[in-house]
Amino acid sequence: MIVVSYIYFSTSAGPRYMRDKKPYDLRNVMIVYNFIQVLFSVYLVYEGLVSGWLSDYSYTCQPVDYSNNPNTLRMMRAVHFYFMCKLIELLDTVFFVLRKKNRQITFLHIYHHSLMPICAWIGCRYLPNGHGTLLGVINAFIHVIMYMYYMLSSMGPHMNKYLWWKKHLTTLQLIQFSIIFVHNIQMFFNGCNYPKFISFLLTLNSLLFIYMFGSFYMANYVKGQKQKSAADTCSAASSSNGTIKNKVE
């Protein structure tokens, strides 16, 4: 119901509510929100590494442990906190709606934010540790950088000169899902005692994200850059022609 309500608000109710209203000024709220998200993400990276991925976890095969081992329970608590963070992150889109930034509410954005709470809930309920938790650690690391960018961006236009690395966020997302793809597809070949259906879903989902983030990158940073360069060339040519004409006259 949370996810369904989120989709309905983001795509229908929210934009209709804001149609005749001025955008809300949420600068201070967003600075605090993004700073808290950075702290949450740092905590998740630390807990994920200390609970297993820096010590006794295997990167080729890590079955789920349902015992009361202290590290197992610690990872379980981290997975639960990760799930709660995925629900809190739905506010990203709420802020877009209230600020009338509808252009940023893309299918990729809605799909990503709708799917992650469901995946995190499945992890919480059935797979609270083991092989799949590397996804959460990598995702949290990406979010440290991403929410740091959002925090600086929300401080105002004077911070733009420090935000030259925007397109590299998409590159990091592509690297993230490529690692997740490789990390999960090996489950079908090494005989690991980890649910193959979950590995299949993670593999398929990582491919979908690679395609969507790749398309976004091509449209915004490759084709967009080419179009901008072509426009600059035309503008320079027009200016040059105008100068020559003036000199002739």
Side-chain angles (χ1 to χ4, degrees):
M1 287 305 299
I2 291 173
V3 173
V4 170
S5 300
Y6 160 77
I7 295 172
Y8 175 67
F9 174 83
S10 302
T11 60
S12 181
R16 281 192 284 108
Y17 169 76
M18 292 299 299
R19 184 179 300 151
D20 301 318
K21 293 180 173 60
K22 293 182 179 180
Y24 286 92
D25 182 10
L26 302 174
R27 176 177 296 184
N28 292 332
V29 173
M30 290 182 62
I31 291 172
V32 173
Y33 168 78
N34 289 317
F35 178 69
I36 291 172
Q37 288 286 24
V38 170
L39 295 182
F40 283 173
S41 299
V42 169
Y43 172 77
L44 284 170
V45 172
Y46 175 79
E47 285 298 298
L49 292 176
V50 172
S51 300
W53 289 108
L54 270 186
S55 52
D56 57 345
Y57 268 32
S58 168
Y59 287 90
T60 56
C61 175
Q62 184 61 44
V64 181
D65 182 1
Y66 295 102
S67 72
N68 288 325
N69 179 284
N71 276 348
T72 296
L73 297 177
R74 185 172 183 175
M75 183 68 83
M76 179 191 69
R77 287 190 289 269
V79 170
H80 183 260
F81 187 71
Y82 180 82
F83 167 60
M84 298 304 295
C85 285
K86 296 303 109 178
L87 296 179
I88 296 170
E89 287 167 17
L90 298 180
L91 288 173
D92 289 6
T93 319
V94 174
F95 292 145
F96 283 154
V97 171
L98 296 180
R99 294 166 62 225
K100 299 186 82 168
K101 300 288 185 179
N102 295 336
R103 191 174 64 86
Q104 295 177 284
I105 307 174
T106 61
F107 173 79
L108 171 58
H109 180 88
I110 297 293
Y111 177 79
H112 178 70
H113 280 276
S114 301
L115 186 67
M116 292 308 293
I118 297 172
C119 292
W121 181 85
I122 292 171
C124 242
R125 180 67 180 84
Y126 301 105
L127 308 158
N129 57 74
H131 201 80
T133 57
L134 183 64
L135 180 158
V137 176
I138 297 173
N139 184 245
F141 173 75
I142 299 296
H143 278 201
V144 171
I145 302 170
M146 186 181 76
Y147 281 109
M148 193 174 296
Y149 172 88
Y150 290 158
M151 182 179 68
L152 294 174
S153 178
S154 61
M155 290 179 180
H158 65 283
M159 298 300 294
N160 288 346
K161 59 185 176 181
Y162 303 112
L163 301 176
W164 52 266
W165 40 282
K166 179 182 179 180
K167 74 174 184 179
H168 298 302
L169 288 174
T170 306
T171 304
L172 286 174
Q173 294 279 20
L174 287 168
I175 294 171
Q176 168 189 203
F177 292 114
S178 298
I179 294 173
I180 293 168
F181 172 78
V182 173
H183 188 243
N184 283 280
I185 200 170
Q186 63 178 320
M187 296 290 98
F188 299 102
F189 307 102
N190 63 10
C192 183
N193 183 25
Y194 190 81
K196 296 296 186 292
F197 181 66
I198 297 298
S199 296
F200 170 76
L201 290 179
L202 291 174
T203 301
L204 177 62
N205 193 52
S206 61
L207 281 176
L208 289 172
F209 275 124
I210 288 170
Y211 170 74
M212 288 190 286
F213 275 99
S215 299
F216 175 84
Y217 186 90
M218 291 295 294
N220 288 272
Y221 301 120
V222 177
K223 293 179 181 178
Q225 189 62 39
K226 287 180 180 178
Q227 291 172 356
K228 183 177 182 298
S229 299
D232 291 342
T233 301
C234 290
S235 178
S238 298
S239 299
S240 176
N241 290 337
T243 303
I244 293 171
K245 183 179 178 182
N246 291 333
K247 285 183 178 180
V248 170
E249 293 174 350

